[in-house]
Amino acid sequence: MTLNIGVIGTGAIGRDHIRRCSQVLQGSRVVAVNDINRDSAAKVVSELKLDAKVYDNAHDLINSSDVQAVLVTSWGPSHEEFVLAAIAAGKPVFCEKPLAVTAQGCKNIVDAEAKHGKRLVQVGFMRPYDQGYRALKQVLTSGQIGEPLMLHCAHRNPRVGEAYTTDMAITDTLIHELDVLRWLLDDDYVSVQVVFPRKSSKALPHLRDPQIVLMETAKGTRIDVEIFVNCQYGYDIQCEVVGETGIAKLPEPSAVQMRSGAKLSTEILVDWKDRFIGAYDVELQAFINDVQAGKLTGPSAWDGFAAAVAADACIAAQNSGEVVPVTLPARPGFYGK
Ligand code: NAD
Ligand code: NAI
Ligand code: ISE
């Protein structure tokens, strides 16, 4: 059976996911698209030669009988409304991160899904599907470096646009670490603090960049994450785990080593689309397969909520400079262990 997908939001990742669902993955086709900018939706239909209808209204797309599953790839503040509408229509929905821009927004989704009685939501946290993070998790689980004591992480983008604000370093960027580190350590956060080093002259006046987020987990592991979104040189994701008996580091993406011009070098990627290209393929194929099998298993609305609770605390910590507690309620049985 081919799954008929409707996509809301045809920006950078929306277009990339549409390409993926229609050209790369098995078992799906894009039959409906919507964007607040209609021309952008129409353009993707013609550029990718899709047999898809352009909807003027996202709710009409969600409720259309032609659409069996929904992909929400519009900008963050619109996610909650569309995910709630998909749940109300009883349709599976893959929602790009963040699930909602506040913990309360995510909680509204968790409550609606639980009321519906069956999982319908997968969040676009792709890093748990990345080969490198999976290999790192395997090392930790095998006990080869003992218990994890400290993590040193970095999330660097070459540059960001004018619309990117200081809080988005948390809700849009750090949100990936907030998710994947919970998964990697099988742990939850108990407190966070944000400190601001000297500001880069490359950052626009309204943006505080870089930032360092310090986190503590329930098991006592300490994590530092550098967020630096105007680093200029590349898109660079680092994660080093210091354990009791050794250190394990996220593998670098594979690249050709060159000896040229009196230099030994390897290239660094510059675009997030390339860095996690394999993980995006695997996460969406898993969504399509799971919808067809009738049971979602990927990152859940609860995972989206857990990350958002920590994100809310980080934003409070950005503003206060204090150590802020993170209080996550007990996971409902509905979401498993
Ligand atoms: P973008 O700005 O390029 O695209 C967003 C699109 O959504 C735009 O075309 C905009 O017109 C449309 N849009 C906004 N509000 C809308 C509404 N109410 N109804 C319909 N369309 C609407 O942004 P992007 O880079 O594609 O990011 C989109 C989402 O994907 C964000 O939530 C972002 O955080 C997420 N994202 C995730 C990853 C990842 O690695 N998982 C990477 C990039 C972006
Ligand atoms: P698992 O299923 O044993 O679960 C590990 C723990 O991590 C669980 O407690 C779970 O609740 C939690 N978790 C899962 N996703 C999370 C997230 N996004 N954020 C925070 N916590 C999360 O672990 P496994 O098999 O290692 O799977 C991890 C992820 O990879 C899952 O999202 C799973 O769906 C996916 N996966 C993908 C496969 C693929 O090749 N497509 C194969 C196996 C798993
Ligand atoms: C973007 O929205 C993403 O999700 C990328 O994965 C992330 O690294 C980048 O910082 C965000 O802007």
Side-chain angles (χ1 to χ4, degrees):
M1 184 194 94
T2 302
L3 185 69
N4 290 337
I5 294 182
V7 180
I8 302 171
T10 52
I13 201 153
R15 287 194 300 272
D16 209 35
H17 282 344
I18 290 171
R19 173 192 63 77
R20 205 164 255 121
C21 290
S22 41
Q23 297 178 359
V24 181
L25 307 181
Q26 304 286 318
S28 71
R29 71 175 151 238
V30 175
V31 297
V33 291
N34 160 266
D35 197 292
I36 201 163
N37 171 0
R38 196 182 194 282
D39 290 347
S40 150
K43 193 163 169 229
V44 74
V45 170
S46 84
E47 278 180 0
L48 294 178
K49 300 185 175 41
L50 303 175
D51 185 11
K53 180 172 167 187
V54 177
Y55 283 75
D56 288 326
N57 183 299
H59 290 272
D60 291 343
L61 176 149
I62 293 167
N63 291 307
S64 163
S65 57
D66 293 339
V67 170
Q68 295 168 310
V70 180
L71 247 58
V72 177
T73 49
S74 49
W75 75 310
S78 65
H79 290 181
E80 180 187 351
E81 174 190 339
F82 299 143
V83 174
L84 286 173
I87 294 171
K91 294 190 183 176
V93 51
F94 177 98
C95 177
E96 264 307 335
K97 37 65 56 177
L99 178 58
V101 287
T102 61
Q104 184 57 51
C106 294
K107 183 68 173 30
N108 297 340
I109 291 170
V110 161
D111 291 346
E113 190 180 40
K115 195 166 164 215
H116 173 78
K118 186 178 168 209
R119 269 197 64 185
L120 287 175
V121 181
Q122 175 169 331
V123 183
F125 286 136
M126 73 296 182
R127 291 197 194 177
Y129 294 96
D130 171 67
Q131 274 186 359
Y133 274 107
R134 295 186 75 77
L136 185 58
K137 186 168 172 76
Q138 214 168 7
V139 168
L140 297 192
T141 313
S142 71
Q144 286 177 78
I145 63 163
E147 294 297 336
L149 308 176
M150 295 175 279
L151 270 67
H152 307 300
C153 308
H155 188 149
R156 305 191 186 110
N157 286 41
R159 58 195 58 81
V160 289
E162 204 168 344
Y164 189 101
T165 49
T166 298
D167 57 330
M168 284 172 71
I170 306 297
T171 56
D172 210 54
T173 300
L174 180 78
I175 199 84
H176 282 295
E177 273 77 17
L178 291 175
D179 174 65
V180 78
L181 301 181
R182 268 183 80 232
W183 167 81
L184 185 69
L185 297 172
D186 195 16
D187 208 346
D188 276 309
Y189 310 111
V190 292
S191 73
V192 297
Q193 185 181 12
V194 180
V195 294
F196 294 97
R198 179 178 175 182
K199 180 181 149 124
S200 166
S201 63
K202 305 291 184 193
L204 291 169
H206 69 274
L207 180 65
R208 299 186 77 175
D209 185 48
Q211 308 182 21
I212 299 171
V213 181
L214 304 166
M215 307 192 277
E216 184 184 9
T217 71
K219 294 176 190 164
T221 303
R222 288 283 181 169
I223 303 170
D224 54 88
V225 185
E226 170 202 316
I227 309 161
F228 187 13
V229 294
N230 289 280
C231 78
Q232 311 293 305
Y233 73 86
Y235 180 71
D236 195 8
I237 303 299
Q238 299 288 326
C239 178
E240 178 180 277
V241 183
V242 180
E244 295 167 299
T245 61
I247 291 176
K249 209 164 179 235
L250 182 69
E252 294 289 343
S254 75
V256 173
Q257 197 184 64
M258 302 226 326
R259 285 172 162 78
S260 174
K263 285 195 176 75
L264 176 64
S265 63
T266 51
E267 216 168 279
I268 295 177
L269 295 172
V270 290
D271 189 339
W272 49 264
K273 282 196 222 71
D274 300 325
R275 173 63 181 84
F276 288 109
I277 191 163
Y280 294 125
D281 287 350
V282 178
E283 69 165 355
L284 266 178
Q285 187 67 65
F287 175 72
I288 293 163
N289 296 350
D290 283 354
V291 169
Q292 290 183 335
K295 191 172 189 294
L296 293 189
T297 59
S300 65
W302 184 260
D303 294 319
F305 172 63
V309 167
D312 274 7
C314 289
I315 289 172
Q318 280 183 329
N319 294 325
S320 69
E322 305 289 324
V323 176
V324 175
V326 178
T327 313
L328 184 65
R331 185 199 299 246
F334 180 74
Y335 289 103
K337 171 187 86 79

